[in-house]
Structure formats: C-alpha cells, structure tokens
C-alpha cells in the first residue's frame, strides 16, 4: 500500500501542476501550492493567499487534482483486485479436485 500512496502523491503533484498552469498565480503562491501537494488536501490551505479573482479557479484546480488522483488510485486498486482474483483462480484448487486426489483407504 505504501507504493500506492507514493503513486498518489506523485499523481497529485503532477495533476495539481497541470490544473494550475493556466491560472494567473504568482510564483510564490504556485510554489506554496506545490509544497502542500505532499499532504494532498492540505494544498487548499494556501488559498487564503490567492488573489480573490483567482481563488475560485485555484480551489477548483485543487479539487480536480484530488479527483484525478483518486481516479488513478482506484484504477490501480481495481487492477490489483482483478489480479488477485486471477491468481486465486489459477492457484487455488477446487474441493472436487482435492477429493479426487486424496487416496482412498482400503478397508
């Protein structure tokens, strides 16, 4: 799960950068938003410093970056679930196969 968390942080940072690229923000605010990316939702704590005309766009960008991150994490988790189901299907023997392979006692 630690790998998924690292992927989530990496994805959020990239999505946040992409989503805020078109917003007119100062470099200080952009750096502050990116520095909060390692805490996922805490990037919104910088919104108080964003100029009012860009505050809504910045808040929306942060929310959409969280959604993008959640989507990637869910796709990874769904893939892992399918992989585990496939491995179980291939590796776990059925009860019928176990009964037919046990030796019968002569008696």
């Amino acid at each position: 799960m630690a790998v998924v968390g690292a992927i989530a942080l990496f994805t959020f940072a990239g999505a946040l950068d992409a989503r805020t690229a078109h917003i007119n923000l100062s470099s200080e605010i952009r750096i502050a938003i990116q520095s909060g990316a390692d805490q996922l939702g805490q990037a919104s704590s910088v919104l108080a410093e964003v100029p009012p005309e860009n505050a809504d766009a910045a808040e929306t960008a942060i929310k959409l970056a969280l959604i993008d991150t959640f989507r990637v994490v869910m796709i990874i988790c769904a893939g892992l679930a399918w992989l585990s189901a496939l491995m179980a299907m291939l590796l776990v023997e059925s009860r019928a196969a176990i009964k037919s392979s046990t030796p019968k006692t002569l008696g």
Side-chain angles (χ1 to χ4, degrees), residues 88-102:
M89 183 181 75
L90 296 173
L91 298 176
V92 177
E93 294 183 40
S94 68
R95 289 186 182 187
I98 293 172
K99 284 184 181 180
S100 67
S101 67
T102 54

Side-chain angles (χ1 to χ4, degrees), residues 8 11 24 27 70 72 77 102 106:
T11 302
N24 186 19
S27 60
F70 185 74
V72 169
C77 290
T102 54
L106 298 174

Side-chain angles (χ1 to χ4, degrees), residues 11-57:
T11 302
F12 181 68
L16 189 59
D17 189 40
R19 297 253 181 212
T20 58
H22 69 282
I23 302 172
N24 186 19
L25 298 173
S26 68
S27 60
E28 294 86 19
I29 293 175
R30 196 173 299 280
I31 290 170
I33 289 174
Q34 280 298 324
S35 68
D38 63 344
Q39 298 173 357
L40 293 178
Q42 297 302 321
S44 61
S45 63
V46 180
L47 290 176
E49 301 172 25
V50 176
E53 63 271 7
N54 294 331
D56 286 339

Side-chain angles (χ1 to χ4, degrees), residues 51-91:
E53 63 271 7
N54 294 331
D56 286 339
E59 183 178 8
T60 301
I62 292 170
K63 288 178 181 180
L64 291 175
L66 279 169
I67 291 170
D68 293 343
T69 302
F70 185 74
R71 182 179 299 122
V72 169
V73 169
M74 289 301 105
I75 289 170
I76 290 170
C77 290
L80 290 173
W82 277 103
L83 180 63
S84 67
L86 177 65
M87 295 302 291
M89 183 181 75
L90 296 173
L91 298 176

